[in-house]
Amino acid sequence: MEVESALEILHSIKLADIMPSIETMPVVTADTDIINVLKILRSRHHVWVVDDRENRELVGVIRYLDVMDLLLPPEAHRFKLGMTSNTMRSILGGATRAGDVAERQVLTIEEDATVLDALMKMRKYRIQVLAVVKDGKLVGEMSLRILIDELLRLLRVGGAQWKR
């Protein structure tokens, strides 16, 4: 299959058809101890925070780069203009649970959206992963890595050559 044809197919795929199962995703509840979140972030780029495992209402996300805020002392945050809310995101500032430090402004996309919809949103907001939701509940995620894997699968790369 040619790259152009593969991309056309990729763009039309519904997210629900290629997103990983929720069981394989890094998901914690809002009351999860911050140390357990750090253990997950050693090997993942983000952790989704939900209210509870059954309901899975999305509370927020903790990204790998957010660890800097966790490790800095509270006074280090005060030097950033307009970033005083991060003071409480520090372990020394009193953060003990995932819900204390989760970024609540999470970019989401509905599960019936297409890959093209997801790519457009990722580019617009310059992010690499979106929370996939249904009725406000976390049902999956979509990342650039997943999209790359799907394109390579469509091209049957492994033995097949790309045609231009």
Side-chain angles (χ1 to χ4, degrees), residues 56-79:
R56 289 196 321 261
E57 188 170 321
L58 188 60
V59 171
V61 64
I62 304 169
R63 292 181 184 85
Y64 183 70
L65 288 175
D66 296 335
V67 172
M68 284 184 277
D69 288 335
L70 286 172
L71 301 179
L72 283 168
E75 58 272 12
H77 297 285
R78 293 191 187 109
F79 296 112

Side-chain angles (χ1 to χ4, degrees), residues 3-59:
V3 175
E4 291 82 3
S5 301
L7 281 171
E8 280 184 34
I9 292 168
L10 180 69
H11 291 162
S12 65
I13 295 173
K14 298 281 185 199
L15 299 182
D17 295 335
I18 61 169
M19 66 185 184
S21 71
I22 191 93
E23 292 79 27
T24 65
M25 293 171 40
V27 178
V28 298
T29 57
D31 63 351
T32 299
D33 186 84
I34 204 68
I35 299 302
N36 290 323
V37 172
L38 289 174
K39 288 177 183 177
I40 295 169
L41 287 171
R42 285 187 304 183
S43 62
R44 301 299 293 252
H45 292 286
H46 62 280
V47 176
W48 302 110
V49 181
V50 296
D51 60 346
D52 66 67
R53 293 232 176 248
E54 292 76 41
N55 186 27
R56 289 196 321 261
E57 188 170 321
L58 188 60
V59 171

